[in-house]
Amino acid sequence: MNPSKRLGIALAVSLAEGISAWVALAQSPSVRTTPERPGDAVALGRYLVKTTGCNDCHTSGYNAAAGNLAEAQWLTGDNLGWKGPWGTTYATNLRLYFAGLTEAQWLAHARVMEPRPPMPWFNLRAMSDTDLRAIYRYVKAAGPAGEPAPAYLPPGKTPAGPFVQFP
Ligand code: HEC
């Protein structure tokens, strides 16, 4: 066998070994740390709220606690202000917000809404109807809780409470 052919076979063998090791790793239950995307709407909504960042802004103290916050407090809004050229915004208490909305109203609103920064409305708009419905059903099932977030302040007003300053 010529040397280049021998090298080719050696490479093919090591590639095959690499792939089978990778497949074994991927199939091993011990390395699967992320749960599968749930099928049930409420469970899917919970999963989406947790993984797409809604809690990061809409749940007071969620980041500081590295996500270890009682679920009863999820999405009850925050009194941390986000101050920039748009004024000062406060992440809405979604537990109260969804209580006043039908599922059909939510689906229609989510497709057109453009709240002020730093709300990433474009991420919601990119979600499927299934995902938007699931978020709605999860928050509805959790029920209303907490107090409304502070009211929006127009540019030029200094918030009384804590706030993050954007340039
Ligand atoms: C980076 C922070 C941030 C993240 C992440 C975030 N939001 Fe918001 N959200 C806000 C702020 C701030 C407001 C209030 C904006 C305003 O006053 O105009 C808001 C407003 C809203 C509103 C009210 C819209 C309206 O028309 O009144 C909804 C609904 C909402 N967010 C849902 C969500 C959902 C669902 C997620 C997760 C997919 C999410 N948000 C992620 C910051 C955030």
Side-chain angles (χ1 to χ4, degrees):
M1 199 185 291
N2 71 41
S4 71
K5 199 166 182 186
R6 202 175 304 134
L7 181 66
I9 290 170
L11 277 177
V13 167
S14 67
L15 184 66
E17 279 171 354
I19 289 172
S20 62
W22 179 77
V23 167
L25 194 70
Q27 286 173 342
S28 152
S30 62
V31 295
R32 253 186 216 287
T33 52
T34 309
E36 289 304 322
R37 184 184 153 95
D40 169 72
V42 173
L44 175 61
R46 181 182 186 279
Y47 170 85
L48 290 169
V49 161
K50 198 171 178 172
T51 56
T52 65
C54 316
N55 277 320
D56 297 357
C57 294
H58 288 273
T59 304
S60 181
Y62 191 81
N63 277 294
N68 289 317
L69 211 64
E71 202 169 334
Q73 293 173 42
W74 284 18
L75 306 182
T76 53
D78 201 348
N79 60 3
L80 175 67
W82 300 94
K83 188 171 185 292
W86 57 86
T88 305
T89 51
Y90 295 89
T92 315
N93 177 333
L94 297 179
R95 301 277 291 276
L96 299 179
Y97 179 87
F98 281 103
L101 222 58
T102 66
E103 190 169 311
Q105 284 172 330
W106 164 241
L107 276 186
H109 186 60
R111 295 274 169 242
V112 295
M113 71 175 193
E114 291 188 15
R116 290 166 285 246
M119 169 63 206
W121 50 264
F122 34 85
N123 293 352
L124 275 176
R125 204 175 289 183
M127 285 184 184
S128 65
D129 279 4
T130 304
D131 288 2
L132 288 174
R133 281 183 203 281
I135 289 179
Y136 178 88
R137 289 192 194 173
Y138 168 69
V139 183
K140 268 301 242 226
E147 300 297 320
Y152 160 75
L153 289 177
K157 300 258 181 198
T158 302
F163 62 90
V164 175
Q165 175 76 57
F166 281 73

